[in-house]
């Protein structure tokens, strides 16, 4: 049964992707000259992303904390990183934003093309000049009211748990003078297993209260990093305790 569900979902998703990418490319061609923040493309991306979850009748998305979003304000959004499915899941956020992605991700067919057309921000590891260019592009977006999303772990988790954070997102918020919006997600890590699609399955997104620009500017980068890491680890442990039971048991032994 699970194999049939998986075949069904992947087939429908593939057909839908072909159609929606054609729509996205057409919208990009029609708007690229006058829509520098790709607002229209973002709406298409949001629809595309939500359909990735709705195409599976066995999947459910739960979002809490939308009251913590102040509309019209730009944020440096920080989220934990579990899998590629994190990307469409975070389109539940109700504002225009840009991704900061590794340069090699842009080489992935369709996905990389969309990132490029969407105007997202690429970064090359170990290149200081590229890091400065990335920061400058992010700051330009933030000044125009467009939020930026970063995964402070730097890579996807291998255990389902939240890993230690790097400082890049905190530095960006401090230099740009904007709030940090922490978002904790769960469900993408184990959406698929050896038998195929997880069914039934729930994806959770919890939007935490923002850390205001004043507090961000008055706190050291390291302290800000550690505070956010602890906050998001504790929140993730609350909404997804299954990822931590084995670790807790081994500590107890």
């Amino acid at each position: 049964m699970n194999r049939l569900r998986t075949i069904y979902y992947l087939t429908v998703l593939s057909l839908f992707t072909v159609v929606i990418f054609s729509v996205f490319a057409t919208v990009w061609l029609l708007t690229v000259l006058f829509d520098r923040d790709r607002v229209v493309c973002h709406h298409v991306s949001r629809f595309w992303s939500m359909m990735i979850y709705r195409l599976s009748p066995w999947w459910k998305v739960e979002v809490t904390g939308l009251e913590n979003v102040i509309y019209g304000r730009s944020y440096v959004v920080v989220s934990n990183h579990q899998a590629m499915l994190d990307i469409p899941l975070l389109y539940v956020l109700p504002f225009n934003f840009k991704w900061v992605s590794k340069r090699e991700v842009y080489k992935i067919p369709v996905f990389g093309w969309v990132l490029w057309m969407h105007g997202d921000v690429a970064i090359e590891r170990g290149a200081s000049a590229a890091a400065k260019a990335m920061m400058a592009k992010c700051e330009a977006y933030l000044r125009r009211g467009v939020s930026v999303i970063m995964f402070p772990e730097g890579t996807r988790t291998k255990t389902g748990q939240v890993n230690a954070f790097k400082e890049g997102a905190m530095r960006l918020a401090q230099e740009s003078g904007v709030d940090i919006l922490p978002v904790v997600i769960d469900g993408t890590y184990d959406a698929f297993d050896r038998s195929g699609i997880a069914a039934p399955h729930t994806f959770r997104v919890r939007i935490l209260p923002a850390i205001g620009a004043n507090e961000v500017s008055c706190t050291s980068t390291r302290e800000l990093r550690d505070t956010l890491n602890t906050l998001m680890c504790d929140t993730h442990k609350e909404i997804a305790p299954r990822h931590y039971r084995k670790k807790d048991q081994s500590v107890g032994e």
Side-chain angles (χ1 to χ4, degrees):
M1 176 61 73
N2 204 42
R3 180 175 295 180
L4 291 176
R5 288 172 176 166
T6 304
I7 293 172
Y8 160 80
Y9 176 70
L10 294 179
T11 300
V12 173
L13 179 62
S14 298
L15 294 173
F16 176 75
T17 299
V18 171
V19 174
I20 195 65
F21 177 72
S22 300
V23 173
F24 181 90
T26 301
V27 169
W28 179 81
L29 286 170
L30 294 174
T31 62
V32 65
L33 294 180
F34 61 86
D35 187 6
R36 65 175 179 170
D37 292 330
R38 308 292 191 271
V39 175
V40 180
C41 285
H42 183 85
H43 286 299
V44 179
S45 296
R46 196 164 194 256
F47 171 76
W48 184 348
S49 298
M50 292 301 95
M51 286 303 296
I52 288 174
Y53 291 91
R54 291 173 183 168
L55 288 172
S56 171
W58 310 282
W59 284 358
K60 179 181 179 182
V61 177
E62 293 181 354
V63 184
T64 57
L66 284 170
E67 68 277 5
N68 293 319
V69 175
I70 299 176
Y71 293 88
R73 180 171 297 183
S74 59
Y75 297 98
V76 171
V77 181
V78 294
S79 170
N80 58 308
H81 195 14
Q82 295 193 323
M84 287 292 288
L85 277 172
D86 299 344
I87 309 300
L89 183 60
L90 283 167
Y91 274 91
V92 298
L93 296 174
F95 47 76
N96 190 16
F97 58 77
K98 301 301 173 188
W99 297 101
V100 176
S101 302
K102 293 175 289 187
R103 176 67 67 182
E104 52 264 34
V105 176
Y106 283 69
K107 299 177 182 178
I108 301 175
V110 180
F111 183 70
W113 305 339
V114 170
L115 289 178
W116 178 78
M117 289 189 286
H118 196 252
D120 292 310
V121 184
I123 183 172
E124 297 180 19
R125 288 183 175 180
S128 59
K132 291 180 181 178
M134 179 274 291
M135 293 287 280
K137 188 171 183 180
C138 288
E139 288 174 13
Y141 274 129
L142 290 164
R143 285 194 299 269
R144 299 203 299 268
V146 181
S147 296
V148 173
I149 295 185
M150 300 181 74
F151 294 119
E153 293 163 284
T155 188
R156 286 173 279 178
T157 178
K158 295 180 180 179
T159 62
Q161 302 173 8
V162 178
N163 296 322
F165 286 179
K166 301 181 185 299
E167 297 178 354
M170 296 79 209
R171 287 201 186 102
L172 175 61
Q174 289 173 327
E175 294 179 13
S176 303
V178 299
D179 297 359
I180 294 178
L181 186 68
V183 179
V184 179
I185 61 177
D186 186 67
T188 57
Y189 177 77
D190 45 9
F192 290 87
D193 56 27
R194 293 180 180 179
S195 64
I197 188 173
H201 192 67
T202 300
F203 301 87
R204 293 181 173 85
V205 180
R206 182 174 294 184
I207 305 168
L208 304 178
I211 299 177
N214 290 336
E215 183 178 349
V216 168
S217 64
C218 294
T219 308
S220 72
T221 305
R222 179 174 295 182
E223 183 181 351
L224 193 58
R225 177 201 65 190
D226 294 343
T227 298
L228 273 167
N229 188 234
T230 299
L231 172 66
M232 294 174 66
C233 279
D234 290 345
T235 302
H236 189 250
K237 192 171 184 177
E238 178 186 336
I239 66 176
R242 67 189 184 283
H243 295 306
Y244 299 86
R245 287 181 188 131
K246 186 175 181 180
K247 179 179 179 182
D248 291 345
Q249 288 171 358
S250 63
V251 170
E253 293 171 358

